[in-house]
PDB file of all heavy atoms in Angstrom:
ATOM      1  N   TYR A  78     -56.513 125.750  42.080  1.00  0.00           N
ATOM      2  CA  TYR A  78     -56.620 124.541  42.904  1.00  0.00           C
ATOM      3  C   TYR A  78     -58.001 124.318  43.594  1.00  0.00           C
ATOM      4  O   TYR A  78     -58.313 123.305  43.896  1.00  0.00           O
ATOM      5  CB  TYR A  78     -55.610 124.745  43.970  1.00  0.00           C
ATOM      6  CG  TYR A  78     -54.156 124.822  43.418  1.00  0.00           C
ATOM      7  CD1 TYR A  78     -53.438 125.952  43.579  1.00  0.00           C
ATOM      8  CD2 TYR A  78     -53.602 123.786  42.697  1.00  0.00           C
ATOM      9  CE1 TYR A  78     -52.185 126.183  42.975  1.00  0.00           C
ATOM     10  CE2 TYR A  78     -52.296 123.901  42.182  1.00  0.00           C
ATOM     11  CZ  TYR A  78     -51.592 125.221  42.300  1.00  0.00           C
ATOM     12  OH  TYR A  78     -50.362 125.353  41.716  1.00  0.00           O
ATOM     13  N   THR A  79     -58.688 125.423  43.721  1.00  0.00           N
ATOM     14  CA  THR A  79     -60.057 125.281  44.329  1.00  0.00           C
ATOM     15  C   THR A  79     -60.970 124.535  43.417  1.00  0.00           C
ATOM     16  O   THR A  79     -61.735 123.695  43.947  1.00  0.00           O
ATOM     17  CB  THR A  79     -60.633 126.726  44.563  1.00  0.00           C
ATOM     18  OG1 THR A  79     -59.722 127.379  45.499  1.00  0.00           O
ATOM     19  CG2 THR A  79     -62.025 126.602  45.270  1.00  0.00           C
ATOM     20  N   ARG A  80     -60.883 124.824  42.158  1.00  0.00           N
ATOM     21  CA  ARG A  80     -61.699 124.128  41.168  1.00  0.00           C
ATOM     22  C   ARG A  80     -61.291 122.677  40.967  1.00  0.00           C
ATOM     23  O   ARG A  80     -62.106 121.731  40.839  1.00  0.00           O
ATOM     24  CB  ARG A  80     -61.732 124.814  39.887  1.00  0.00           C
ATOM     25  CG  ARG A  80     -62.694 124.425  38.792  1.00  0.00           C
ATOM     26  CD  ARG A  80     -62.685 125.249  37.689  1.00  0.00           C
ATOM     27  NE  ARG A  80     -63.728 124.836  36.638  1.00  0.00           N
ATOM     28  CZ  ARG A  80     -63.943 125.457  35.497  1.00  0.00           C
ATOM     29  NH1 ARG A  80     -63.267 126.595  35.256  1.00  0.00           N
ATOM     30  NH2 ARG A  80     -64.849 124.922  34.732  1.00  0.00           N
ATOM     31  N   ALA A  81     -60.012 122.405  41.196  1.00  0.00           N
ATOM     32  CA  ALA A  81     -59.446 121.192  41.034  1.00  0.00           C
ATOM     33  C   ALA A  81     -60.041 120.312  42.250  1.00  0.00           C
ATOM     34  O   ALA A  81     -60.194 119.095  42.134  1.00  0.00           O
ATOM     35  CB  ALA A  81     -57.899 121.148  41.026  1.00  0.00           C
ATOM     36  N   LEU A  82     -60.149 120.894  43.369  1.00  0.00           N
ATOM     37  CA  LEU A  82     -60.561 120.195  44.603  1.00  0.00           C
ATOM     38  C   LEU A  82     -62.012 119.643  44.368  1.00  0.00           C
ATOM     39  O   LEU A  82     -62.415 118.508  44.791  1.00  0.00           O
ATOM     40  CB  LEU A  82     -60.481 121.068  45.811  1.00  0.00           C
ATOM     41  CG  LEU A  82     -59.129 121.160  46.481  1.00  0.00           C
ATOM     42  CD1 LEU A  82     -59.113 122.282  47.549  1.00  0.00           C
ATOM     43  CD2 LEU A  82     -58.674 119.803  47.115  1.00  0.00           C
ATOM     44  N   LYS A  83     -62.885 120.489  43.667  1.00  0.00           N
ATOM     45  CA  LYS A  83     -64.127 120.089  43.425  1.00  0.00           C
ATOM     46  C   LYS A  83     -64.259 118.799  42.524  1.00  0.00           C
ATOM     47  O   LYS A  83     -64.977 117.913  42.794  1.00  0.00           O
ATOM     48  CB  LYS A  83     -64.978 121.176  42.749  1.00  0.00           C
ATOM     49  CG  LYS A  83     -65.199 122.403  43.683  1.00  0.00           C
ATOM     50  CD  LYS A  83     -65.872 123.505  42.882  1.00  0.00           C
ATOM     51  CE  LYS A  83     -66.075 124.725  43.832  1.00  0.00           C
ATOM     52  NZ  LYS A  83     -66.761 125.813  43.122  1.00  0.00           N
ATOM     53  N   ALA A  84     -63.331 118.822  41.525  1.00  0.00           N
ATOM     54  CA  ALA A  84     -63.303 117.724  40.613  1.00  0.00           C
ATOM     55  C   ALA A  84     -62.882 116.398  41.410  1.00  0.00           C
ATOM     56  O   ALA A  84     -63.319 115.340  41.197  1.00  0.00           O
ATOM     57  CB  ALA A  84     -62.496 117.923  39.446  1.00  0.00           C
ATOM     58  N   LEU A  85     -61.803 116.710  42.252  1.00  0.00           N
ATOM     59  CA  LEU A  85     -61.203 115.561  42.979  1.00  0.00           C
ATOM     60  C   LEU A  85     -62.220 115.001  43.972  1.00  0.00           C
ATOM     61  O   LEU A  85     -62.256 113.786  44.264  1.00  0.00           O
ATOM     62  CB  LEU A  85     -60.000 115.904  43.752  1.00  0.00           C
ATOM     63  CG  LEU A  85     -58.730 116.223  42.875  1.00  0.00           C
ATOM     64  CD1 LEU A  85     -57.731 116.923  43.608  1.00  0.00           C
ATOM     65  CD2 LEU A  85     -58.120 114.971  42.278  1.00  0.00           C
ATOM     66  N   SER A  86     -63.132 115.766  44.455  1.00  0.00           N
ATOM     67  CA  SER A  86     -64.117 115.332  45.489  1.00  0.00           C
ATOM     68  C   SER A  86     -65.117 114.404  44.746  1.00  0.00           C
ATOM     69  O   SER A  86     -65.546 113.404  45.312  1.00  0.00           O
ATOM     70  CB  SER A  86     -64.871 116.533  46.039  1.00  0.00           C
ATOM     71  OG  SER A  86     -63.988 117.306  46.809  1.00  0.00           O
ATOM     72  N   LYS A  87     -65.469 114.746  43.429  1.00  0.00           N
ATOM     73  CA  LYS A  87     -66.328 113.828  42.730  1.00  0.00           C
ATOM     74  C   LYS A  87     -65.656 112.502  42.461  1.00  0.00           C
ATOM     75  O   LYS A  87     -66.287 111.452  42.431  1.00  0.00           O
ATOM     76  CB  LYS A  87     -66.765 114.576  41.436  1.00  0.00           C
ATOM     77  CG  LYS A  87     -67.574 115.772  41.591  1.00  0.00           C
ATOM     78  CD  LYS A  87     -67.887 116.524  40.342  1.00  0.00           C
ATOM     79  CE  LYS A  87     -68.752 117.724  40.505  1.00  0.00           C
ATOM     80  NZ  LYS A  87     -69.146 118.394  39.239  1.00  0.00           N
ATOM     81  N   ILE A  88     -64.365 112.550  42.124  1.00  0.00           N
ATOM     82  CA  ILE A  88     -63.717 111.308  41.813  1.00  0.00           C
ATOM     83  C   ILE A  88     -63.603 110.534  43.108  1.00  0.00           C
ATOM     84  O   ILE A  88     -63.859 109.312  43.026  1.00  0.00           O
ATOM     85  CB  ILE A  88     -62.204 111.615  41.384  1.00  0.00           C
ATOM     86  CG1 ILE A  88     -62.321 112.299  39.982  1.00  0.00           C
ATOM     87  CG2 ILE A  88     -61.393 110.376  41.210  1.00  0.00           C
ATOM     88  CD1 ILE A  88     -60.951 112.820  39.519  1.00  0.00           C
ATOM     89  N   LEU A  89     -63.277 111.068  44.257  1.00  0.00           N
ATOM     90  CA  LEU A  89     -63.277 110.331  45.502  1.00  0.00           C
ATOM     91  C   LEU A  89     -64.569 109.852  45.924  1.00  0.00           C
ATOM     92  O   LEU A  89     -64.577 108.839  46.668  1.00  0.00           O
ATOM     93  CB  LEU A  89     -62.538 111.178  46.540  1.00  0.00           C
ATOM     94  CG  LEU A  89     -61.002 111.484  46.356  1.00  0.00           C
ATOM     95  CD1 LEU A  89     -60.591 112.511  47.379  1.00  0.00           C
ATOM     96  CD2 LEU A  89     -60.257 110.159  46.463  1.00  0.00           C
ATOM     97  N   HIS A  90     -65.590 110.452  45.510  1.00  0.00           N
ATOM     98  CA  HIS A  90     -66.962 110.043  45.815  1.00  0.00           C
ATOM     99  C   HIS A  90     -67.146 108.592  45.158  1.00  0.00           C
ATOM    100  O   HIS A  90     -67.913 107.759  45.752  1.00  0.00           O
ATOM    101  CB  HIS A  90     -68.022 111.005  45.398  1.00  0.00           C
ATOM    102  CG  HIS A  90     -69.325 110.522  45.678  1.00  0.00           C
ATOM    103  ND1 HIS A  90     -69.861 110.613  47.074  1.00  0.00           N
ATOM    104  CD2 HIS A  90     -70.490 110.123  44.955  1.00  0.00           C
ATOM    105  CE1 HIS A  90     -71.129 110.258  47.025  1.00  0.00           C
ATOM    106  NE2 HIS A  90     -71.485 109.848  45.817  1.00  0.00           N
ATOM    107  N   GLU A  91     -66.649 108.447  43.991  1.00  0.00           N
ATOM    108  CA  GLU A  91     -66.785 107.174  43.234  1.00  0.00           C
ATOM    109  C   GLU A  91     -65.833 106.115  43.757  1.00  0.00           C
ATOM    110  O   GLU A  91     -66.209 104.865  43.883  1.00  0.00           O
ATOM    111  CB  GLU A  91     -66.637 107.325  41.734  1.00  0.00           C
ATOM    112  CG  GLU A  91     -67.665 108.289  41.192  1.00  0.00           C
ATOM    113  CD  GLU A  91     -69.087 107.677  41.206  1.00  0.00           C
ATOM    114  OE1 GLU A  91     -69.186 106.392  41.164  1.00  0.00           O
ATOM    115  OE2 GLU A  91     -70.035 108.505  41.344  1.00  0.00           O
ATOM    116  N   SER A  92     -64.577 106.642  43.995  1.00  0.00           N
ATOM    117  CA  SER A  92     -63.459 105.670  44.492  1.00  0.00           C
ATOM    118  C   SER A  92     -62.862 106.318  45.714  1.00  0.00           C
ATOM    119  O   SER A  92     -61.955 107.130  45.535  1.00  0.00           O
ATOM    120  CB  SER A  92     -62.514 105.411  43.384  1.00  0.00           C
ATOM    121  OG  SER A  92     -61.483 104.607  43.781  1.00  0.00           O
ATOM    122  N   ARG A  93     -63.319 105.895  46.852  1.00  0.00           N
ATOM    123  CA  ARG A  93     -62.845 106.632  48.131  1.00  0.00           C
ATOM    124  C   ARG A  93     -61.461 106.360  48.392  1.00  0.00           C
ATOM    125  O   ARG A  93     -60.719 107.280  49.056  1.00  0.00           O
ATOM    126  CB  ARG A  93     -63.737 105.996  49.277  1.00  0.00           C
ATOM    127  CG  ARG A  93     -63.484 106.794  50.628  1.00  0.00           C
ATOM    128  CD  ARG A  93     -64.463 106.234  51.606  1.00  0.00           C
ATOM    129  NE  ARG A  93     -64.187 106.930  52.917  1.00  0.00           N
ATOM    130  CZ  ARG A  93     -63.274 106.479  53.817  1.00  0.00           C
ATOM    131  NH1 ARG A  93     -62.538 105.467  53.521  1.00  0.00           N
ATOM    132  NH2 ARG A  93     -63.167 107.140  54.918  1.00  0.00           N
ATOM    133  N   ASP A  94     -60.831 105.328  48.060  1.00  0.00           N
ATOM    134  CA  ASP A  94     -59.442 104.931  48.391  1.00  0.00           C
ATOM    135  C   ASP A  94     -58.527 105.059  47.091  1.00  0.00           C
ATOM    136  O   ASP A  94     -57.425 104.400  47.037  1.00  0.00           O
ATOM    137  CB  ASP A  94     -59.420 103.513  48.872  1.00  0.00           C
ATOM    138  CG  ASP A  94     -60.077 103.384  50.266  1.00  0.00           C
ATOM    139  OD1 ASP A  94     -60.142 104.442  50.949  1.00  0.00           O
ATOM    140  OD2 ASP A  94     -60.541 102.299  50.573  1.00  0.00           O
ATOM    141  N   ASP A  95     -58.888 105.878  46.157  1.00  0.00           N
ATOM    142  CA  ASP A  95     -57.993 106.119  45.092  1.00  0.00           C
ATOM    143  C   ASP A  95     -56.732 106.871  45.513  1.00  0.00           C
ATOM    144  O   ASP A  95     -56.859 108.077  45.945  1.00  0.00           O
ATOM    145  CB  ASP A  95     -58.730 106.982  43.965  1.00  0.00           C
ATOM    146  CG  ASP A  95     -58.026 107.013  42.660  1.00  0.00           C
ATOM    147  OD1 ASP A  95     -56.696 106.957  42.704  1.00  0.00           O
ATOM    148  OD2 ASP A  95     -58.557 107.194  41.623  1.00  0.00           O
ATOM    149  N   VAL A  96     -55.573 106.279  45.407  1.00  0.00           N
ATOM    150  CA  VAL A  96     -54.418 106.882  45.978  1.00  0.00           C
ATOM    151  C   VAL A  96     -53.873 108.057  45.259  1.00  0.00           C
ATOM    152  O   VAL A  96     -53.586 109.080  45.898  1.00  0.00           O
ATOM    153  CB  VAL A  96     -53.179 105.748  45.965  1.00  0.00           C
ATOM    154  CG1 VAL A  96     -51.896 106.399  46.466  1.00  0.00           C
ATOM    155  CG2 VAL A  96     -53.553 104.557  46.771  1.00  0.00           C
ATOM    156  N   THR A  97     -54.055 108.106  43.932  1.00  0.00           N
ATOM    157  CA  THR A  97     -53.741 109.157  43.161  1.00  0.00           C
ATOM    158  C   THR A  97     -54.570 110.434  43.431  1.00  0.00           C
ATOM    159  O   THR A  97     -54.184 111.542  43.635  1.00  0.00           O
ATOM    160  CB  THR A  97     -53.773 108.883  41.671  1.00  0.00           C
ATOM    161  OG1 THR A  97     -52.954 107.692  41.372  1.00  0.00           O
ATOM    162  CG2 THR A  97     -53.200 110.037  40.723  1.00  0.00           C
ATOM    163  N   ALA A  98     -55.945 110.168  43.508  1.00  0.00           N
ATOM    164  CA  ALA A  98     -56.865 111.261  43.819  1.00  0.00           C
ATOM    165  C   ALA A  98     -56.497 111.829  45.175  1.00  0.00           C
ATOM    166  O   ALA A  98     -56.627 113.001  45.498  1.00  0.00           O
ATOM    167  CB  ALA A  98     -58.216 110.757  43.696  1.00  0.00           C
ATOM    168  N   LEU A  99     -56.313 110.976  46.217  1.00  0.00           N
ATOM    169  CA  LEU A  99     -56.004 111.475  47.493  1.00  0.00           C
ATOM    170  C   LEU A  99     -54.665 112.357  47.522  1.00  0.00           C
ATOM    171  O   LEU A  99     -54.712 113.338  48.222  1.00  0.00           O
ATOM    172  CB  LEU A  99     -55.860 110.293  48.431  1.00  0.00           C
ATOM    173  CG  LEU A  99     -57.190 109.598  48.853  1.00  0.00           C
ATOM    174  CD1 LEU A  99     -56.860 108.201  49.613  1.00  0.00           C
ATOM    175  CD2 LEU A  99     -58.151 110.509  49.655  1.00  0.00           C
ATOM    176  N   HIS A 100     -53.705 111.781  46.826  1.00  0.00           N
ATOM    177  CA  HIS A 100     -52.470 112.493  46.824  1.00  0.00           C
ATOM    178  C   HIS A 100     -52.585 113.891  46.077  1.00  0.00           C
ATOM    179  O   HIS A 100     -52.171 114.875  46.665  1.00  0.00           O
ATOM    180  CB  HIS A 100     -51.490 111.727  45.987  1.00  0.00           C
ATOM    181  CG  HIS A 100     -50.000 112.148  46.194  1.00  0.00           C
ATOM    182  ND1 HIS A 100     -48.920 111.426  45.664  1.00  0.00           N
ATOM    183  CD2 HIS A 100     -49.485 113.201  46.866  1.00  0.00           C
ATOM    184  CE1 HIS A 100     -47.833 112.069  46.125  1.00  0.00           C
ATOM    185  NE2 HIS A 100     -48.032 113.192  46.757  1.00  0.00           N
ATOM    186  N   CYS A 101     -53.397 113.898  45.052  1.00  0.00           N
ATOM    187  CA  CYS A 101     -53.585 115.283  44.341  1.00  0.00           C
ATOM    188  C   CYS A 101     -54.484 116.075  45.238  1.00  0.00           C
ATOM    189  O   CYS A 101     -54.271 117.409  45.291  1.00  0.00           O
ATOM    190  CB  CYS A 101     -54.408 115.048  42.973  1.00  0.00           C
ATOM    191  SG  CYS A 101     -53.301 114.240  41.749  1.00  0.00           S
TER     192      CYS A 101
END
Side-chain angles (χ1 to χ4, degrees):
Y78 304 110
T79 303
R80 191 171 180 179
L82 281 171
K83 294 179 181 179
L85 288 167
S86 298
K87 294 179 181 180
I88 295 173
L89 289 171
H90 182 73
E91 297 296 329
S92 179
R93 185 174 181 275
D94 294 332
D95 190 332
V96 176
T97 304
L99 288 172
H100 198 171
C101 290

